[in-house]
Amino acid sequence: MSFSRAFATALLLAAGSAVADLPPDKMGEIGTLPETWPPHWIIAHDVSYSHIRDGKSFVLDLDADSIGQQFKGMVNSSFAANFVQATTRPELYLAETFYSRGTRGERLDVLTIYDKRTLAPLGEVILEANQRAFIIPQRNLMKLTGDESLILVYNFSPAMSVSIVDAVGRKSLGTLPTPGCAGIFPTGTRGFSALCGDGSLYTANLDKSGKVASSSRSDVFFDVQDDPLMEQPAWIDGRAYFPSYQGNVVPVDFSGDKPVIGEPWSLLDDDTAGWRPGGLVPTAEDANGRMYVTMHPEGGDGTHKDPGLEVWVFDPVKQERLARLPLQVPGLSIALTRDKEQSLLIVTTVEMKLDVYDAASGELRRTLDNFGQLTPIIVFGAR
Amino acid sequence: MKWLDDMMEQGARGLARRSSRRSFMARLAVLIAGGAASVPLLPVARGSEHEPEIALDADPGDPTSCEYWRYCAVDGFLCACCGGTQSSCPPGTQMSPVTWIGTCRNPADDQDYIISYNDCCGKSACGACNCNRNEGDMPIYRPQLSNAYNWCLGTDSAFYNCSTSRVIGVARKS
């Protein structure tokens, strides 16, 4: 510091500052989140395609204008993790796989319970089967039972099975083989169903200890070769609406202990004959009972994972299309917020950004980008 | 392989189908310039753009090209671009004993061959020469026909590196 500057500073100090000094910041302050997350918060699960050991799930506020306000926190989600959130307690669940030497060594499948208020682990359960299925993340690979007492994780070794975890007692209850049947579709109070390779449903109702209390197998109800059902239905009031490759829908009522399979109907009409559902997470639902499906034109063999150019909105009870929402950028996955009045549609675009639309008007509200994402291919509205 | 490359590939192919080639490539360039999210697209373009070197022998074609005859049902990064060949794994990886099978016609002798698409496992994704189709792909309840799964099964590590395309034999009608 030069003499003249030091002199000037001394004069200023002597005269006294008109502005109060900044108080020292506290050491070690850590942010927290509310127990119930606002309806416009989302969890964006980034499988981190080319670096899947370092997958992440971002907690984001869709109403905020700047990244500092949008980004609420994150949890790690290693190796195509499975994610599910409870509604009756402030907990998140992530099933992950780790190797003791990163990409090699001993394998360890772990279900971690996170506190929504701190995003810190509350506990963990070792998934003893060590056979968690590695699949592009979707919503039906890990689920809570209807009473939220059990967590079910789909396994593939390539034998198919389900790991059963006591969500409250935080302990493993074993593994149930589901030969030839995949996915987890919660059924009744404490059961689940799985779609089988012959076009039927397997259903198991479990007791509190995770043992099978009863099980059943439905008749074959769809054609697995010519018009297979996508394994990703929209869920409304205990009913699942499965779209098919050819653009039909099969409703299945999972609210009781035994699934009730409804009559198929078509998403298409004479003007939209060539359109097909497609994408990575092609269906979603809102709190008003509407079903959303990503749709693309000129569909055919092999287009069932193509991005949607539009999202179609249906009343699945009346089997009526309510709206066609054109997307600004083609979308691979969709989700909706949980609120009824200002529901937002979130679209993972082919550019790997999140476009947020007003679900009622179809107006693009904002695009979320540069929040550290690589491939945020599945989004969950906060529940 | 499978699943790893699907997500970006589907976006790219869907756009390609509905756009002129020129506009699609322009869009691809924007994506590549746009940052990390575009990274998986690069090998897609490279794999499909490669001009096959047709050799007039019993096994014609360029194994680093997606057009190579054995790749009729392949889905993943081509081991021939990753330090291996069309039938061998890159150094330090392990070949998965569990595979899915395709039947491909060899243009040299016009015979159908059974091809075994063994994955190479134990390292993370190679990233070069992505070659991927969904024709005939089925949901996860038909796993033998589903490319949503990672097929590095029965190996020491489930990490997927690349895919081989091994000739098993001539497919003969019984």
Side-chain angles (χ1 to χ4, degrees):
Chain A
M1 188 181 286
S2 70
F3 173 75
S4 60
R5 255 187 97 181
F7 183 66
T9 303
L11 277 180
L12 273 174
L13 285 171
S17 173
V19 182
D21 294 343
L22 278 176
D25 290 326
K26 287 179 189 164
M27 168 63 190
E29 280 196 296
I30 311 286
T32 56
L33 300 178
E35 180 170 316
T36 302
W37 291 358
H40 285 180
W41 286 20
I42 60 166
I43 302 96
H45 179 186
D46 183 349
V47 70
S48 300
Y49 164 68
S50 53
H51 305 279
I52 57 167
R53 277 176 59 199
D54 193 29
K56 298 168 187 176
S57 295
F58 300 100
V59 182
L60 302 167
D61 180 357
L62 302 181
D63 286 338
D65 292 324
S66 67
I67 185 67
Q69 294 167 319
Q70 287 165 354
F71 199 126
K72 297 301 174 190
M74 54 161 270
V75 288
N76 289 102
S77 310
S78 184
F79 206 159
N82 306 120
F83 171 86
V84 71
Q85 51 188 324
T87 59
T88 53
R89 47 187 180 268
E91 295 179 356
L92 310 173
Y93 308 96
L94 278 137
E96 301 170 279
T97 294
F98 304 97
Y99 281 86
S100 59
R101 300 288 182 275
T103 55
R104 58 193 171 83
E106 292 295 314
R107 173 174 172 167
L108 183 67
D109 287 8
V110 183
L111 177 84
T112 305
I113 302 114
Y114 282 91
D115 188 331
K116 286 176 76 172
R117 296 162 293 198
T118 64
L119 297 184
L122 288 169
E124 67 176 34
V125 178
I126 306 297
L127 300 171
E128 293 143 349
N130 253 6
Q131 293 173 348
R132 191 174 67 83
F134 300 125
I135 299 179
I136 299 170
Q138 48 173 269
R139 296 195 294 173
N140 299 296
L141 303 176
M142 178 169 83
K143 297 294 268 189
L144 283 150
T145 52
D147 63 359
E148 298 203 344
S149 68
L150 305 176
I151 301 167
L152 308 171
V153 185
Y154 174 56
N155 298 319
F156 183 71
S157 73
M160 296 142 118
S161 66
V162 171
S163 286
I164 301 166
V165 171
D166 177 347
V168 179
R170 297 176 188 167
K171 61 183 180 188
S172 171
L173 297 177
T175 304
L176 176 67
T178 57
C181 305
I184 294 164
F185 306 98
T187 303
T189 306
R190 206 184 308 112
F192 74 98
S193 299
L195 278 168
C196 306
D198 63 353
S200 68
L201 274 171
Y202 166 78
T203 299
N205 293 292
L206 307 172
D207 64 20
K208 288 182 180 174
S209 66
K211 298 282 185 297
V212 176
S214 65
S215 66
S216 61
R217 185 87 175 238
S218 79
D219 293 335
V220 171
F221 69 100
F222 67 95
D223 186 329
V224 297
Q225 191 58 41
D226 292 337
D227 194 16
L229 296 188
M230 295 179 170
E231 69 273 45
Q232 301 195 65
W235 284 93
I236 297 165
D237 296 333
R239 284 185 174 81
Y241 295 90
F242 292 93
S244 76
Y245 279 30
Q246 302 293 338
N248 296 307
V249 174
V250 176
V252 181
D253 186 345
F254 286 108
S255 59
D257 287 348
K258 194 168 182 182
V260 178
I261 296 157
E263 288 299 312
W265 49 281
S266 179
L267 295 169
L268 311 175
D269 54 28
D270 291 344
D271 296 334
T272 55
W275 286 72
R276 293 289 181 272
L280 296 177
V281 182
T283 59
E285 60 284 322
D286 67 14
N288 298 302
R290 300 187 192 111
M291 170 186 183
Y292 295 71
V293 189
T294 48
M295 302 289 296
H296 60 270
E298 300 168 39
D301 182 23
T303 71
H304 55 281
K305 292 177 186 170
D306 278 7
L309 302 192
E310 298 183 2
V311 171
W312 292 4
V313 187
F314 291 88
D315 178 332
V317 175
K318 294 181 180 170
Q319 303 177 10
E320 275 179 13
R321 192 181 65 214
L322 304 174
R324 291 173 64 170
L325 309 178
L327 299 179
Q328 303 278 327
V329 178
L332 286 166
S333 303
I334 54 172
L336 282 115
T337 57
R338 70 170 188 265
D339 50 331
K340 286 190 172 182
E341 302 299 326
Q342 303 289 327
S343 183
L344 299 175
L345 167 69
I346 306 102
V347 178
T348 301
T349 71
V350 295
E351 296 173 347
M352 292 295 126
K353 300 174 185 175
L354 301 181
D355 279 351
V356 181
Y357 294 85
D358 182 309
S361 70
E363 179 193 348
L364 179 65
R365 287 280 188 85
R366 70 174 76 245
T367 297
L368 273 69
D369 189 16
N370 298 318
F371 54 91
Q373 87 279 19
L374 183 64
T375 49
I377 54 131
I378 181 165
V379 171
F380 303 84
R383 293 290 178 252
Chain B
M1 134 92 172
K2 316 268 70 173
W3 73 305
L4 278 180
D5 43 293
D6 263 13
M7 53 194 74
M8 298 304 294
E9 171 71 350
Q10 296 332 309
R13 288 196 315 116
L15 282 172
R17 187 171 294 114
R18 291 175 203 91
S19 320
S20 70
R21 177 149 192 84
R22 186 171 177 150
S23 69
F24 172 62
M25 292 312 290
R27 184 169 194 94
L28 188 63
V30 168
L31 286 170
I32 289 165
S38 65
V39 168
L41 285 175
L42 263 172
V44 178
R46 193 186 307 148
S48 56
E49 291 298 297
H50 200 109
E51 208 56 47
E53 297 167 13
I54 302 296
L56 295 173
D57 59 15
D59 188 3
D62 177 359
T64 65
S65 164
C66 202
E67 305 304 315
Y68 180 51
W69 69 275
R70 296 188 190 196
Y71 298 154
C72 74
V74 78
D75 187 358
F77 300 107
L78 303 176
C79 289
C81 300
C82 303
T85 69
Q86 65 270 40
S87 60
S88 67
C89 284
T93 61
Q94 187 181 14
M95 191 176 280
S96 171
V98 185
T99 76
W100 75 110
I101 298 289
T103 305
C104 305
R105 179 154 296 184
N106 182 350
D109 58 13
D110 209 29
Q111 291 195 95
D112 289 334
Y113 284 80
I114 296 175
I115 307 294
S116 175
Y117 296 105
N118 298 70
D119 285 344
C120 302
C121 312
K123 298 177 188 291
S124 58
C126 144
C129 297
N130 194 354
C131 177
N132 163 282
R133 301 188 183 99
N134 273 320
E135 284 83 6
D137 170 60
M138 286 285 161
I140 62 169
Y141 52 81
R142 301 187 71 191
Q144 70 279 15
L145 298 171
S146 172
N147 69 14
Y149 286 95
N150 169 14
W151 277 94
C152 276
L153 300 165
T155 46
D156 290 342
S157 161
F159 275 87
Y160 165 85
N161 182 248
C162 64
S163 297
T164 64
S165 303
R166 297 170 49 243
V167 169
I168 298 298
V170 176
R172 300 189 192 282
K173 287 177 185 161
S174 53

